[in-house]
Amino acid sequence: MTNLPELARRSPTPAPYSPNAILRWLYRRFFAHIRVDENWSRGVREAASQGVVVYVMRSLSFLDFLCLDFLLKKFGLPLVRFVNDLGLWILEPFGKGERRLSLRRQIPEAQALEQTVGDGYSALLFLRRPPKFGSQARRGRELDVDLIETLVAKQRTNPQPILLVPQTFVWSKQAGTASPSLLDLLFGPVQWPGRVRVFCQFLLNYRDAKLRSGEPFNLHDFLEKNPELTDSDAADKVRYALLRRMERDRAVIIGPMKKTTARIQDELLRSPRVRTHIEQYARENGLSYAKAEQVAHKQLRKLCAKPSLFVVDLMHRFLTWVWSKMYDGVVIDQEGVERVREAARDASLILLPSHKSHIDYLVLSDMLYGNALMPPVIAAGENLSFWPIGPILRRGGAFFIRRSFQDDSLYPVLVEAYMRKLIAEGFTLEFFLEGGRSRTGKALPPKYGLLSMAFDSASKLRGTKVKLVPISIGYERIIEERSFVHELSGGDKQSENVGDLLKSSSVLRSKWGRLYVQFGEIIDLNEFTENALKRADGGLPESDTATGDPTRSAVRALAHKVMYSINEVTVVTPAALVATALLSHQKRGMTRASLLSACQDLLVTLDTMNARIAHQLRIGDSRIREDTIDEALHLFLDARLIIAHDTGPEPIYTIDSERRIALEYYQNTIIHFFVPRALIAAGLLVDMDQWVDIARLNDRVQQLSRVFKHEFIYRTDATFDQIFEDALHEMVEAGEIEVRKGYAQATEGAMRHRLERYAVMLQTFFESYLLALRGAEIVLDGPIPKKDWYKRTLALGQQMYLAGEIERRESLSKLKLETALKALQDYELVRLNDDILERGEGVEGVSDLHDLEPKLTGFLR
């Protein structure tokens, strides 16, 4: 009788699986909806060009095999000619002819796999079986035959590399639960489902099913690097690595193992660190431990999120409709999405988006969910916890924190413990580094509280990688425009309430341009911390000289690095470009031709800075699209921010003085690109047409950068001198400045107009700081509440505006006065004590303030 090895050696090459007519109909009916990773087919094709592809899946599933077979044929990829443990009858000719013996037994799978791979054909391996019926096991069962070991042995003799390509189908929207339910016992857990559960998941979610492909595992390279391993040991390591990769791919989409909110709260209350602080809190307040624990439990109930993918999915469907009503389009940085996906495979992520609108809370979660990424758990202010929005946001992933942690020693401990728990469990965390929404369009100076907690939490979680993702969320028009103008003009901030929410239905009847989501450079927190502490140990400038605390210094440096990265990836929108051109124009009105010319000139400068330009702004690489500029103009005309005068051959656009402050918001979204050049231009144009000593110019610009340090985010990877030299060199290269023998001068002609445009961008800041300096005289009469000082100073500003001392109406801004007040404190002109303004130590009389005015008025032309 012929033995099995001889049969295998002379067997014909196996053919791919060919479904019958019914299965082909089912393929088209159900599998066409599967969302495939855009890089999937390219990755498999590249792997096939390097060697033999063996597809790998976690849990035995006939359905997964059918789906993979359908997709491989659809994309023309290497087809499966062997699959384990489903019964070799599936594939021809393993189930027919000479492959069947007298007892209708099939040849051993190990031999079939060895032959398939040896002939250069692809195979599919399942690594585990689902748990048995009624089993409480939380992982799959091992297979009878270790086929990974077979591949290892084959690779040692096979000249062609074998590449194991992990494939992960996600049929369920829910992550597995930490505690087994009755359904888990009967039909297998979500992550290791039995046949019935797989079938039900498929029927419920086939329209939202997703396939993710992991990085190919090169078996040849692995064995070369580990020649000492036996076949069995090598197989164990390979299997573990593959299972880890596939589990992480699942978690990237649906999140980590789910625990109930009550269980998380209970685990937090039992942690030694929290218990120690509860005991301390009880002693400080004269309470029993049980009473203090009740306080902690109540605070945790108000704090913790209750994320539900069911609610997230409903919100996604609703928000997709909302975005289509509100916006002309949503532009997402797809390359950035893939970088985030890759980072999430081996680290817990902390998303740090810009904050310009309450919509930010919804945008990022929705965009990530729509791109098959786990929605984050989001830190939101308690002001948004009102009914009915609060409960919905909480189930969408929001946890609500107080604006201030003062007067409660226990609360910040619970917040930090909760954040550490989220990071340790593998959740993606999101919070706004600016603290609140930017009412001016500029990035706000970072707040260090939550970042410091995350920093400390990550440092305590040994073995847990943490990565930070700076994100820019930008809008062509902001829906809070009216309320922001009210606050900027001195009005009180209005808290959110249900009435405001109901009024927002009018928002859906307007168009707000496009919405942009862009991702910055991902920061490995462990690497950053290590480098920052090394620099601090070396005594370099990043050490916090005020406190001598290198950790605090590292947090501050990290915060500014993140904010600068957000600025770098902010999109230059048509609205921002048009607003900048209009507001930097020094005459009353601007013709359409002049506007187009100014926009083109600004675009050229932005290109040299590698700014991200909205794709619809240009035709080809350089020429500006006039129809896009016209769309932005119509956007502003509809909002009544500008006025069009059709009195001649082309329209002339003017800005009502009361609306300038609203238009400035959009200019400020991109002003950070121009700040280095604008500071140099302001310092250079003080001397009009004279040559200026570069050392003197450097000193002027440095003084200005210190004055405006609360206004703008500067580079963190270079000293001031390096930043100055780089900006000066770029301006010389652009022909904006001439440099001779250590002196600089503005270039004549069109380039001088460009330089003047830069300087005009800072005019409102100079005027606001001049107003704040005048307002400091009020404090000389005696202490005054800060709120009253703002009102009196804005009233003074109105008089200065009418008298012509202040030229631009948008200079009368409460928020500009807030940052100017910080500068006055830095120079010890005023002192703030419990919201009461007092005379600073640097002022003896009004003459001291008058002597400082020329230092600002000299830059106003």
Side-chain angles (χ1 to χ4, degrees):
M1 183 175 180
T2 308
N3 60 34
L4 289 176
E6 289 174 350
L7 279 173
R9 279 197 295 273
R10 66 169 183 261
S11 296
T13 300
Y17 174 62
S18 179
N20 58 36
I22 296 176
L23 280 177
R24 284 198 298 271
W25 178 83
L26 289 173
Y27 272 21
R28 293 190 299 271
R29 173 70 177 81
F30 292 103
F31 298 160
H33 298 283
I34 295 174
R35 296 167 60 186
V36 179
D37 181 355
E38 291 182 2
N39 299 317
W40 175 72
S41 60
R42 182 170 65 250
V44 173
R45 203 165 270 117
E46 288 177 358
S49 69
Q50 300 172 28
V52 180
V53 170
V54 176
Y55 306 100
V56 182
M57 291 186 176
R58 298 168 70 247
S59 184
L60 189 67
S61 169
F62 182 54
L63 180 62
D64 285 4
F65 162 71
L66 292 179
C67 292
L68 181 64
D69 182 65
F70 167 76
L71 293 170
L72 294 178
K73 290 170 180 173
K74 177 180 177 180
F75 288 94
L77 299 172
L79 300 179
V80 171
R81 308 213 179 195
F82 169 89
V83 60
N84 65 306
D85 284 81
L86 288 180
L88 293 174
W89 56 269
I90 288 179
L91 297 181
E92 299 292 352
F94 287 134
K96 293 184 179 180
E98 61 181 351
R99 294 308 173 114
R100 293 187 180 273
L101 302 180
S102 59
L103 298 178
R104 304 186 64 80
R105 291 173 56 198
Q106 300 162 336
I107 68 168
E109 288 187 322
Q111 293 184 32
L113 173 62
E114 186 178 353
Q115 178 190 340
T116 302
V117 174
D119 290 343
Y121 293 105
S122 292
L124 167 62
L125 294 189
F126 293 104
L127 298 184
R128 293 187 181 276
R129 294 178 180 273
K132 289 184 177 180
F133 178 82
S135 171
Q136 295 190 28
R138 307 302 294 160
R139 55 180 298 175
R141 293 178 291 149
E142 292 184 0
L143 301 175
D144 297 332
V145 181
D146 188 350
L147 295 178
I148 295 293
E149 187 173 343
T150 301
L151 287 178
V152 169
K154 182 64 179 175
Q155 180 66 87
R156 294 191 190 277
T157 61
N158 199 45
Q160 242 186 331
I162 298 173
L163 291 101
L164 306 175
V165 185
Q167 306 293 310
T168 304
F169 281 101
V170 180
W171 302 112
S172 173
K173 295 178 182 178
Q174 297 288 343
T177 56
S179 302
S181 65
L182 179 61
L183 286 177
D184 294 340
L185 296 176
L186 294 177
F187 305 116
V190 171
Q191 62 272 38
W192 298 98
R195 293 179 182 177
V196 174
R197 188 158 199 163
V198 167
F199 183 70
C200 292
Q201 288 176 347
F202 171 72
L203 289 181
L204 290 172
N205 301 306
Y206 73 90
R207 291 184 179 275
D208 295 313
K210 305 170 185 70
L211 169 63
R212 309 305 305 180
S213 181
E215 181 183 353
F217 188 102
N218 192 314
L219 197 54
H220 180 271
D221 291 349
F222 174 77
L223 292 176
E224 274 196 345
K225 293 177 182 177
N226 301 277
E228 75 285 354
L229 294 177
T230 65
D231 289 357
S232 177
D233 291 341
D236 288 342
K237 290 183 178 296
V238 170
R239 188 184 306 102
Y240 176 77
L242 292 170
L243 286 170
R244 284 279 296 171
R245 290 185 185 185
M246 288 184 282
E247 182 54 42
R248 195 64 196 180
D249 282 337
R250 278 177 52 83
V252 165
I253 297 173
I254 61 177
M257 191 80 72
K258 185 179 178 182
K259 294 180 179 178
T260 65
T261 303
R263 176 169 174 174
I264 289 177
Q265 292 170 0
D266 186 55
E267 289 178 359
L268 289 172
L269 291 173
R270 290 204 313 266
S271 71
R273 186 168 182 273
V274 171
R275 289 177 67 87
T276 299
H277 281 85
I278 292 176
E279 291 171 358
Q280 181 180 338
Y281 179 81
R283 287 194 302 269
E284 290 174 353
N285 294 273
L287 302 174
S288 66
Y289 181 86
K291 189 68 175 177
E293 189 178 41
Q294 288 179 6
V295 173
H297 195 263
K298 182 178 180 180
Q299 291 182 349
L300 283 174
R301 283 202 308 271
K302 289 184 177 180
L303 171 70
C304 293
K306 297 179 180 178
S308 163
L309 276 177
F310 174 74
V311 173
V312 170
D313 188 65
L314 288 179
M315 291 176 66
H316 174 65
R317 297 171 191 274
F318 172 69
L319 290 172
T320 300
W321 173 78
V322 170
W323 305 147
S324 68
K325 290 289 185 181
M326 290 177 59
Y327 297 107
D328 295 322
V330 179
V331 182
I332 305 174
D333 174 14
Q334 289 297 338
E335 289 185 7
V337 168
E338 292 308 313
R339 286 190 284 111
V340 170
R341 193 188 313 281
E342 188 61 34
R345 284 188 168 118
D346 69 343
S348 294
L349 300 185
I350 299 177
L351 308 181
L352 300 170
S354 58
H355 196 17
K356 293 182 171 63
S357 169
H358 279 316
I359 289 180
D360 297 339
Y361 292 103
L362 305 173
V363 167
L364 193 54
S365 292
D366 186 56
M367 298 307 162
L368 293 177
Y369 182 75
N371 281 274
L373 281 166
M374 168 181 47
V377 180
I378 312 164
E382 262 192 338
N383 58 320
L384 291 176
S385 63
F386 60 87
W387 190 89
I389 293 300
I392 295 174
L393 294 179
R394 195 182 293 274
R395 284 163 179 77
F399 66 96
F400 299 104
I401 59 175
R402 301 173 187 169
R403 289 293 183 187
S404 173
F405 294 175
Q406 293 179 355
D407 303 325
D408 190 339
S409 60
L410 183 59
Y411 187 74
V413 173
L414 296 176
V415 174
E416 182 176 349
Y418 182 57
M419 291 176 61
R420 183 164 62 251
K421 184 72 172 176
L422 293 174
I423 295 170
E425 296 284 341
F427 287 94
T428 295
L429 185 62
E430 175 190 339
F431 58 86
F432 300 101
L433 197 52
E434 296 163 277
R437 292 170 296 163
S438 170
R439 269 76 169 170
T440 64
K442 295 189 291 91
L444 298 177
K447 302 289 191 298
Y448 306 117
L450 289 182
L451 184 64
S452 181
M453 288 182 178
F455 190 94
D456 291 341
S457 297
S459 65
K460 293 183 175 81
L461 295 171
R462 301 298 180 188
T464 301
K465 277 189 176 182
V466 179
K467 295 182 178 180
L468 309 184
V469 187
I471 303 169
S472 170
I473 303 176
Y475 307 85
E476 283 199 83
R477 272 194 67 204
I478 201 81
I479 64 171
E480 293 98 333
E481 184 181 284
R482 184 173 298 176
S483 65
F484 284 177
V485 170
H486 172 75
E487 291 178 40
L488 288 168
S489 302
D492 293 332
K493 179 182 176 182
Q494 297 176 343
S495 60
E496 291 75 15
N497 54 59
V498 179
D500 290 339
L501 179 66
L502 295 176
K503 292 177 187 175
S504 69
S505 61
S506 61
V507 168
L508 298 177
R509 296 195 294 270
S510 303
K511 280 291 185 181
W512 304 88
R514 291 174 178 82
L515 187 158
Y516 300 85
V517 181
Q518 301 287 308
F519 298 87
E521 177 190 356
I522 296 175
I523 302 168
D524 187 310
L525 186 56
N526 299 331
E527 289 181 7
F528 180 89
T529 303
E530 185 179 343
N531 293 333
L533 294 179
K534 281 181 181 178
R535 286 192 291 268
D537 290 340
L540 293 179
E542 288 195 30
S543 180
D544 194 317
T545 56
T547 65
D549 183 354
T551 300
R552 178 180 173 184
S553 173
V555 170
R556 292 169 66 89
L558 179 61
H560 284 272
K561 179 180 176 67
V562 169
M563 294 309 304
Y564 188 80
S565 180
I566 290 173
N567 276 346
E568 276 189 310
V569 299
T570 296
V571 172
V572 178
T573 66
L577 191 68
V578 169
T580 303
L582 288 168
L583 288 171
S584 60
H585 186 63
Q586 299 186 63
K587 297 181 180 179
R588 182 178 296 111
M590 196 172 193
T591 64
R592 182 176 180 276
S594 297
L595 178 65
L596 289 172
S597 176
C599 288
Q600 178 66 48
D601 193 54
L602 288 167
L603 209 56
V604 169
T605 303
L606 289 163
D607 266 330
T608 65
M609 302 175 188
N610 296 318
R612 299 192 182 189
I613 312 293
H615 70 278
Q616 70 270 22
L617 263 172
R618 290 186 293 201
I619 300 173
D621 294 332
S622 57
R623 192 157 63 90
I624 199 165
R625 287 187 57 169
E626 296 185 15
D627 58 333
T628 300
I629 299 300
D630 289 336
E631 286 179 10
L633 286 168
H634 284 299
L635 201 66
F636 289 150
L637 287 168
D638 290 344
R640 299 179 182 177
L641 299 184
I642 62 175
I643 303 168
H645 304 272
D646 296 315
T647 56
E650 60 176 331
I652 297 175
Y653 299 99
T654 60
I655 313 168
D656 184 273
S657 62
E658 297 296 325
R659 304 299 289 161
R660 294 183 68 93
I661 199 166
L663 197 64
E664 188 187 40
Y665 179 97
Y666 302 102
Q667 173 187 262
N668 282 346
T669 61
I670 61 170
I671 195 172
H672 55 270
F673 290 114
F674 299 100
V675 166
R677 296 192 184 202
L679 291 172
I680 290 176
L684 195 61
L685 293 176
V686 169
D687 293 309
M688 301 299 289
D689 299 325
Q690 299 178 23
W691 288 90
V692 179
D693 186 295
I694 290 179
R696 185 182 177 192
L697 179 62
N698 178 296
D699 183 62
R700 283 180 185 170
V701 174
Q702 189 168 31
Q703 292 298 323
L704 288 178
S705 68
R706 287 172 179 167
V707 169
F708 293 135
K709 73 176 185 180
H710 300 291
E711 291 286 354
F712 306 116
I713 306 294
Y714 303 121
R715 277 173 58 188
T716 58
D717 60 346
T719 64
F720 169 80
D721 287 339
Q722 290 173 312
I723 298 170
F724 175 81
E725 288 174 11
D726 290 345
L728 190 67
H729 176 73
E730 290 168 0
M731 296 174 79
V732 171
E733 288 291 309
E736 298 164 356
I737 291 177
E738 294 180 63
V739 171
R740 296 179 189 173
K741 298 179 180 180
Y743 285 81
Q745 185 185 48
T747 305
E748 292 298 326
M751 287 301 173
R752 184 183 182 87
H753 292 310
R754 184 188 289 182
L755 210 65
E756 290 174 348
R757 183 182 296 121
Y758 296 155
V760 169
M761 291 180 189
L762 298 180
Q763 182 175 343
T764 61
F765 299 99
F766 282 117
E767 291 183 345
S768 292
Y769 279 54
L770 175 62
L771 172 59
L773 190 60
R774 290 277 183 91
E777 297 180 23
I778 298 172
V779 182
L780 298 181
D781 296 332
I784 181 174
K786 184 170 67 171
K787 185 175 181 180
D788 293 342
W789 181 83
Y790 285 137
K791 290 181 179 179
R792 291 183 59 180
T793 304
L794 285 172
L796 173 63
Q798 184 66 26
Q799 296 174 10
M800 294 172 66
Y801 174 70
L802 294 174
E805 291 184 86
I806 289 178
E807 181 181 330
R808 304 222 162 193
R809 181 66 179 79
E810 62 269 31
S811 301
L812 308 184
S813 162
K814 180 182 177 182
L815 293 186
K816 284 198 183 81
L817 284 180
E818 286 184 2
T819 49
L821 185 59
K822 293 177 183 177
L824 294 180
Q825 290 175 260
D826 290 342
Y827 286 91
E828 298 184 338
L829 302 180
V830 298
R831 183 173 59 191
L832 188 62
N833 186 14
D834 291 333
D835 281 342
I836 301 296
L837 275 178
E838 302 172 349
R839 179 197 303 230
E841 295 179 0
V843 179
E844 293 184 1
V846 70
S847 60
D848 294 331
L849 299 176
H850 289 171
D851 290 342
L852 293 173
E853 282 194 17
K855 294 184 178 181
L856 288 174
T857 55
F859 295 102
L860 294 171
R861 300 181 63 238

